[in-house]
Amino acid sequence: MTIPFLPDDSPFSEDQKSWLAGFYAGLHTQMLAGKKSSTSESQSTITAHILFGTQTGNSEGLAEDFAATLKAEGVNAVVASLDDVEVSALVEMNYVFLITSTYGEGEMPDNAQLFWDALKAADAPRLEHMHFSVLALGDTAYDGYCEAGKQFDLRFEQLGAKRLAARVDCDVDFEESADGWMASAREELAKHKPEDAGGPIPHSAAAAAKPAKSKWTRKNPFEAPVTVNHLLSGEGSAKEIRHYEFDLSNDGPNYVAGDALNIIPTNDPALVSEWLDYLGVSGDTAVSGKDKSLEELLFSQLEISTPSSEFIKAIAARTDDEHLQHIVDFNDKEAMEAYLWSKDALDIARLHPKARFSVDELIKLFKPLQHRAYSISSSSKMFADSVHLTIASVRYESHGRKHGGVASCFLADRVGNEKSKVFVSPNKSFRVPENNDVPMIMVGPGTGIAPFRAFLQERQAIGAKGYNWLFFGDQHEKTDFIYKDELTKMQSDGILNRLDLAFSRDQAEKIYVQTRMQEHAKDLYAALEEGGHFYVCGDASRMAKDVDRALHKVISEQAGLSSDGAMDYVNLMKKEKRYVRDVY
C-alpha cells in the first residue's frame, strides 16, 4: 500500500504542509485499520468508548455511571482515563463519549494534558469514521468556563469526526445537565445499534454492573459532629491554620487517603444582615417563586460573598463607571482580577450606589451557595470512625469591613460542637503507591501537607516499607511548622524517612520547597530512578508551577538530558501515574 505524500515543491505554506501531512498520515492509518473498524458494528453488539479527564474525580464518576447505564442497554461500554489512551487508538473507536472537567483558568485537567497535546498536533489521525459527543464540567465563577470540553469538541470536529449528540456544558450543579446529556447520547447511539444487537441485560445484572456509590451526596449530605477544632498556627503567625475532626461513626461516608471532604456551609449571619440593610427590607420578606424567606435564602441557599459574572455585568450596566464597563465590554481578565481584589459582592454594590436592585432582581444575580472541597488529612485505616481536615481560615479587612472565607470561617467560628453537612469526593488518581516498596516523594507546603499526613498514616497502617520523603515549608518555623510533633514522631518511628523544610522568611533570602528540591537534586533523581512516586499538593497558580519547573530542571541536570528529554521523562512519569497533583 502506497503512503500518500506531498512533493517538496508543492505550493503550500509550512503550516499547510504540516496539516496536509497529518491528514494523509491519518488516511493511511485509517486504511490500515479499515478492515477492523468497518466490521466492528457487524457484531451482535456496539462498542462505546467513554473517556474522561478529571482533576477531582467527578468526570470519572459520571463516566462509570454512563457506562453502567449503556451496559444495561446491551452496549459494550469501555471506560478509560485519557492518560491511558493513545491518540492513535482513536482510529479503531467508532463511538466516543468524552467527559472532562476544566482545571484552573481554562486548562486541561492533569490526566488529559498529554492526550490533548497529541490530539492537537499536526500529525493527529483523521477521524471521519468516528461519532462523538462531549460533556464538559466547569464553574461559571472562573474564566475559561468548560474550556477543556469546548476544545476537545472543536478538535474532534476539525479531525473529521461526526457529532453524535451536542456538547453540554455543566456548571457546578452538574447532575441534571449531565443526566440530560446522557439521555440524548443514549438516544442517538441507539439509532446506530445493529439490528441483531442484544437488548437490555436483566435488571439484576445491570445493578451488579453499576459501581457502588455512597448514599451521602451533595443532595443528601451526612450530618457529621465536629469533635475537634484545634488551632495549629503558633502565636504571631500571619495565618490561622486549624485542624478539624468529624465524627463518622453513625453510618458516615467511607473515604480513602487522597479523597476530598466537601463541606456544605451557611453564610455569616452578619453578612446576611448587611445585605438586608442594603436592600432596606426585613428578613421575612417573601421572594417570588421561592418557598423560603429572603433571610433564609441569603443564609443557606445563595452565594452572597463571591460576585457572579452576571452580578458584575448588571452593576456595570447600571452605573457610569467607565473603567468597570470597559473591563466588562472587552472581557479583560487581568483587569477584572485586579478590580475584584479584596472586594466581595457587597463591597461592589456599595461602591456603585446608582446600581440599585429590587429583591427579586438581586436574588437572580446570586449563584447557588456551593460546597467547598478540602483534601482529607487522615487515613481511614488509622481513624476508622473520623475524618480530619487541615484548613486555613480566610480573614481580611477591606473597604471598612471584615471579610471571611465562607466555609473556613463557618467551621472556625460558627459550627462549634454542632453538626456539619458533609460528603466525600473520591479521587482515585491521587493515591499512595500500589507498590508498598517504592519511594514516595511528597511536596506540600502550608495546608498542602494535608493529604500527605494521610498518606504517611496510610503507609504506616499497611506496613509499607517504601522510602517516605516530605518537602514542607511555610513562612516561619516558629509559628508555621504545623504538625511538628507528629512529623517528628513519624521520623523517630521510621515512618517518615526524610523531611526537608523550607521556611521562606526566616532568612534574608527566601527559601521555598522547590529550592530544597534543587539542593537535593542527586538524591531526588535517585529516588525517581528507583520507581518513586512524586506528589504535589497546594497552590496551583504559583507553587505547583514552580515545583514542576524545578522537577524538570533536576531531571535534566542529573540525567544529562535536554529540556525536551526531561519533558519526555516527566511525561512518562505521568503516564505511569508516578507524578500526580492535588492542586487548587
Side-chain angles (χ1 to χ4, degrees), residues 134-194:
V134 174
L135 178 67
L137 306 186
D139 185 344
T140 52
Y142 292 91
D143 290 329
Y145 169 62
C146 288
E147 187 64 24
K150 293 173 182 177
Q151 290 296 317
F152 276 120
D153 186 66
L154 176 62
R155 186 56 177 157
F156 280 154
E157 181 181 52
Q158 290 174 337
L159 293 173
K162 303 173 186 67
R163 195 173 282 103
L164 188 69
R167 186 190 78 244
V168 170
D169 298 336
C170 304
D171 205 346
V172 178
D173 296 327
F174 58 80
E175 289 88 351
E176 185 175 342
S177 297
D179 287 345
W181 174 82
M182 290 182 190
S184 176
R186 287 163 49 210
E187 181 179 346
E188 293 302 317
L189 184 64
K191 298 175 182 177
H192 292 254
K193 291 176 70 173

Side-chain angles (χ1 to χ4, degrees), residues 40-41 43-48 74-77 95 189-190 192-194 197:
S40 61
E41 267 29 278
Q43 308 294 321
S44 61
T45 186
I46 190 171
T47 297
V75 175
N76 178 30
Y95 301 96
L189 184 64
H192 292 254
K193 291 176 70 173

Side-chain angles (χ1 to χ4, degrees), residues 525 528-529 555 561 565-573 578:
Y525 178 69
L528 296 177
E529 283 289 276
I555 291 168
L561 296 173
M567 183 181 296
D568 290 341
Y569 188 105
V570 171
N571 286 344
L572 180 60
M573 288 177 60
R578 293 195 301 118

Side-chain angles (χ1 to χ4, degrees), residues 42 46 69 76 92 183 212 253 300 345 393 446 449 460 465 498 532 567:
S42 66
I46 190 171
T69 302
N76 178 30
E92 298 181 7
S300 63
S393 303
I449 195 176
Q460 181 178 4
K465 303 301 181 183
R498 182 164 181 171
M567 183 181 296

